[in-house]
Amino acid sequence: MSAVVSPIRDPLIYGHKSYHDITEDLVSPTERTPSAPWVIGFILSISLLGFGLFCIAWTIWHGIGTWNLNRTVGWGWDITNFVWWIGIGHAGTLISAILLLFRQKWRTGVNRAAEAMTIFAVICAALFPGIHVGRAWVVFYFFPYPNTRGPLWPNFNSPLLWDLFAISTYFTVSLLFWYTGLVPDFATVRDRAKGMRKKVYNFLSFGWVGSAKHWQRWEALSLVLAGIATPLVLSVHTIVSFDFATSVIPGWHTTIFPPYFVAGAIFSGFAMVLTLMLVVRKVLHLEEYITLNHVESMNKVILATGSIVGVAYLTELFVAWYSGYVYEQFAFFNRALGPYWWSYFGMMFCNVISPQFFWSRKIRRSVAWTFFLSIVINIGMWFERFVIIATTLARDYIPSSWSYYSPTWVEIGIFIGTIGLFFTLFLIFCRVAPVVAVAEVKSILKSSGDQYCGPDAIHHGHGHDDHGHDHSHEEHAVAESVKEEVAAVVEAVEDDLKKLEGIGPKVEAALKKAGVKTFAALAGSDTNDLQTILDEGDGNFMGNSPESWPHQARLAMEGKWDELEKLQDELQGGKY
Amino acid sequence: MAHTNRNVIYGLYDDEEIMLTAIKEANAQHLEIMDVYTPFPVHGLDPLLGLSESRLHIAGFIYGLLGTLTAFLGMTWIFTKDWPVVFGGKPHWSVPAFIPITFELTVLFAAIGMTFTFYIVCGLGPGVTNEVLDDRITDDKFCIAFDESEVDSAKAKSFLSSTGASEINKKILS
């Protein structure tokens, strides 16, 4: 094996894993008997779910009057919970789609679980509009289908109907994306299983064999799904915000709502991913795959989106004052200092102040702090939706109809039930499927494993030295001397990168400006990263393609000039 | 083709880079590779195998367009011809209000259409069982397979052992 060492990258997989280790570590949790914490968690979740189902049955049997909604407060905990769950459901697609397009490799550690979380959160969310309409058994009237009532169609001009389309689409696309990613991993589970288990996973894996053409199509599909899921995820919470923003209620009809809701959704979604993943990595011993680097990256996203949310809150207050419109001014005065002041201050503290702790690198990398703050943020984002909905409706235009809304036990029970549903589904998922995407983690091993990058990188292949391959004697180099060699390479002044075909003086300057100064650094670079350097560099590098550079650099680094020359004869302008 | 038995000779490699070098060698020797199986998508494999770029994205575009037209023309027909209703005195054909649903159905059609096309063209789906050459291919082995009716089996065998395959086996795929 040739040595691929990148001193500039932080590793994402620790423990010098081989491909087989990855399979073993990530698949074995589905093969063991459930552990005691899992069983306790499952019993608890399913009991909460049972109570929730009872409360839903109670609502449907006795009618919506079992809730404390009244003439002015038409939306209460139901829609608060709906928006809260939908918001949580935004992190999964963000991680799997937007981060795929941005080629963020750390997504592979958390995307599978985050997508699962998205799907379960959307199921919990969809429950609320379904039952809050009152007559849940005719809820299918929402869908436009040729019917015997005219045919009478739904109102396509209504944001509430847009919402139905947005959420159904979001659910379907997320499910397809998630399952297509799972198919190769189910095949891995299948090929390790025996008996009945093998049959079940054979069915789930859809007959996947890992053929080259299938992988090519699989990647093409993932990329296009990511491309269309990116505007989709932004559209969903935009449309949810239209439910409020297109109304004529002071405090609701503001143009800031779409970006502010989307930022809030990503904020709460990442908080929930962290809450879950910090537990999962501990219980399933996945600390080497879901590393502190992953946690820190997510905390940075939380800090960014949390700050956007904070700015949005302050902007709303400023605009209410600046508009000179008394009803708008009253709505915000009432939110902060009216009967629901406690929820406003809860929201401000949890969403605006608490994420600011993440400016500290120490706190970003602290599991205990992150876990605590992620829960604080989840609570804060629930308060936000409650503030927007309940405080606004409880004080409408006519003071004689003002009221104070608080939920009944049925409303609280349904909310608790959805938490039970969410965790029941998530716990089943943890048993049935690998919680970390096995194939995708393997595909980043050579660029992000700690034997290939970061301070512990060594000249080492993949742990299998027994294949009699012609470079294998190099792998047996004593680790210490190799480390020194790496250190020397790292500190080496600069190499003449122009020796490689396809690199001229201008490209060399651009690469060196970006920190790629040596053959070693170039050999350890990803071609996509190099392409980015070219795209961002001064000058026109349209004709240059970095595809062969890492390969050439590796030969140069190892002093294999003859081989390099042979390769360069085959290359055409540095291209294969 | 699918129903005839195929005698397959295949080699398992321990690392994708050894396998890629081997495929280059196979191309140089003009050995017809039946297929390559890997545990994860290996980059740089497609050009070596001469696989043309997937056309799934073109299919996706067509499905998306179909979704756009279904949504937009559907709402237009319903609100101007089939059952025109006045909502707050707004025009029947209120194009801006149709944008969100048109967008959502574009995405929905493209995603469903592409995913189903993917499974159909790959011959995958619920209830499909494809015979696996070796159980470790979905774990950590990289497999180059030859069909014995296309290549000389002795030649394939010597090729596999000389390019660093850690195991060489034969299997009949039905």
Side-chain angles (χ1 to χ4, degrees), chain B residues 28-87:
Chain B
Q29 293 184 15
H30 301 292
L31 279 169
E32 180 85 15
I33 293 174
M34 183 188 97
D35 206 346
V36 168
Y37 303 95
T38 57
F40 59 85
V42 174
H43 288 192
L45 185 59
D46 301 351
L48 290 178
L49 291 178
L51 297 178
S52 52
E53 199 194 340
S54 166
R55 286 166 297 166
L56 261 180
H57 55 273
I58 301 172
F61 178 78
I62 295 168
Y63 292 125
L65 197 65
L66 205 63
T68 314
L69 293 175
T70 308
F72 192 76
L73 297 180
M75 285 187 285
T76 301
W77 173 74
I78 287 168
F79 271 8
T80 60
K81 294 272 180 283
D82 189 50
W83 194 290
V85 182
V86 177
F87 297 105

Side-chain angles (χ1 to χ4, degrees), chain A residues 202-246:
Chain A
N202 184 40
F203 182 81
L204 292 174
S205 65
F206 286 5
W208 179 266
V209 285
S211 156
K213 187 67 188 173
H214 294 180
W215 276 122
Q216 186 208 34
R217 292 193 182 119
W218 184 87
E219 284 208 296
L221 177 68
S222 305
L223 193 63
V224 179
L225 282 183
I228 57 177
T230 299
L232 176 67
V233 66
L234 301 180
S235 84
V236 173
H237 228 61
T238 298
I239 291 176
V240 170
S241 82
F242 285 167
D243 292 347
F244 303 94
T246 59

Side-chain angles (χ1 to χ4, degrees), chain B residues 91-123:
Chain B
H92 293 306
W93 197 51
S94 44
V95 175
F98 293 169
I99 291 172
I101 290 179
T102 306
F103 170 77
E104 299 300 334
L105 284 196
T106 304
V107 171
L108 186 68
F109 275 50
I112 293 181
M114 270 184 78
T115 310
F116 278 68
T117 307
F118 165 75
Y119 286 119
I120 291 165
V121 294
C122 289

Side-chain angles (χ1 to χ4, degrees), chain A residues 1-2 4 17-19 442 445-446 451-452 460-467 469 475 554, chain B residues 11-23 36-40 42 45 140-144 163-166:
Chain A
M1 261 320 296
S2 45
V4 183
K17 300 293 182 193
S18 68
Y19 292 132
K442 283 177 191 164
L445 179 67
K446 290 261 166 102
Q451 66 269 52
Y452 301 101
H460 193 273
H462 42 69
H464 294 255
D465 294 338
D466 52 349
H467 47 66
H469 163 246
E475 296 175 24
R554 200 180 308 140
Chain B
L12 297 179
Y13 294 81
D14 289 336
D15 194 274
E16 76 274 21
E17 289 175 41
I18 307 171
M19 182 196 68
L20 288 174
T21 324
I23 296 171
V36 168
Y37 303 95
T38 57
F40 59 85
V42 174
L45 185 59
D140 63 345
K141 298 290 180 209
F142 301 81
C143 170
I144 300 180
T163 51
S166 58

